Amino acid sequence: MDVTGNDNQLLNALLTTLEHHILPMTRQGVAQGNKIFGAALLKKSDLSVVLAETNNETENPLWHGEVHALKRFFEQPEVGRPLAKDLIFLSTHEPCPMCLSAITWAGFDNFYSFFTHEDSRDAFAIPHDLKILKEVFGLDPGRYRRKNAFWQSRFVRDMIAVSDKAVRSHFEDRAAAIAEEYAYLSTLYQQDKHQNTIPLN
């Protein structure tokens, strides 16, 4: 996986994408009854955003943030559309088994996540990812291979923990603000989820 720039530049790009591309869409999505998950694609060459999306399960229960982003991406004309191998896949939350498979089948060699499966369960009261991994695949939390023949994955907040000391507090402040916004949106979703027909809400 060849990404231009150093980890600080990449971190800045990932956080900026969360702040200014995914979160605004997620606010709208939650207002329509959808979950808080979203995703974006960035070019490895210059870290520019190609596309951002959010969960759209009220239209189709398969339109998780990651799958919905892939749907939108492959709806673009093939001519001029970047190759998956030239892109960074950013997911707000560690992808569920379906989304892990979709990222793999779509040809991505990487993904970055802000929140973990445990965060989805404990902070956002959405335990389905871990339940499916356990019940269907027999896997405990964190037991799938985060580095494998298809892709490698990293957590954004782990990258912050080992970032340059001179800028770490800046990244930590931004990450805290992002987490706080997702906590607020999660509260809104949980308050109103009884009104939607999402099978696993």
Side-chain angles (χ1 to χ4, degrees):
M1 183 178 65
D2 184 22
V3 179
T4 298
N6 60 34
D7 267 3
N8 284 345
Q9 290 173 317
L10 177 56
L11 265 172
N12 181 63
L14 296 175
L15 293 173
T16 298
T17 302
L18 285 160
E19 294 161 336
H20 299 297
H21 294 272
I22 302 176
L23 264 170
M25 300 182 82
T26 300
R27 292 184 193 108
Q28 295 176 5
V30 169
Q32 296 166 2
N34 291 292
K35 292 191 184 80
I36 56 175
F37 306 128
L41 309 178
L42 295 80
K43 289 183 180 178
K44 290 179 181 178
S45 60
D46 62 8
L47 304 179
S48 62
V49 176
V50 173
L51 178 146
E53 262 304 339
T54 192
N55 185 287
N56 193 20
E57 286 182 84
T58 54
E59 178 182 316
N60 182 326
L62 301 183
W63 296 160
H64 291 196
E66 300 93 330
V67 171
H68 201 225
L70 291 170
K71 173 184 182 290
R72 296 288 193 219
F73 177 64
F74 285 105
E75 286 173 345
Q76 296 179 356
E78 186 173 356
V79 175
R81 187 178 67 213
L83 298 174
K85 69 180 182 65
D86 296 324
L87 298 175
I88 294 166
F89 197 105
L90 171 62
S91 180
T92 59
H93 297 68
E94 189 173 5
C96 75
M98 176 181 73
C99 295
L100 287 173
S101 295
I103 290 166
T104 308
W105 280 106
F108 288 84
D109 65 6
N110 73 90
F111 68 85
Y112 293 78
S113 305
F114 188 81
F115 296 106
T116 67
H117 283 152
E118 290 85 351
D119 292 328
S120 294
R121 178 192 63 198
D122 301 337
F124 302 115
I126 301 176
H128 314 304
D129 302 346
L130 287 173
K131 282 187 174 179
I132 291 170
L133 283 168
K134 182 67 174 178
E135 293 298 322
V136 178
F137 300 101
L139 294 175
D140 291 319
R143 296 297 294 176
Y144 71 88
R145 294 188 180 120
R146 293 196 173 106
K147 271 190 178 181
N148 55 63
F150 296 102
W151 41 255
Q152 58 182 314
S153 65
R154 296 177 75 182
F155 288 108
V156 174
R157 290 191 285 183
D158 287 349
M159 295 168 64
I160 293 173
V162 298
S163 64
D164 187 287
K165 291 181 181 178
V167 294
R168 187 180 307 158
S169 63
H170 168 71
F171 287 141
E172 288 173 343
D173 289 346
R174 290 172 67 188
I178 290 168
E180 185 176 345
E181 176 74 6
Y182 274 101
Y184 170 70
L185 292 173
S186 176
T187 299
L188 296 181
Y189 171 76
Q190 292 295 332
Q191 287 174 347
D192 296 333
K193 70 179 183 180
H194 65 281
Q195 299 177 30
N196 68 48
T197 58
I198 299 171
L200 296 178
N201 65 9

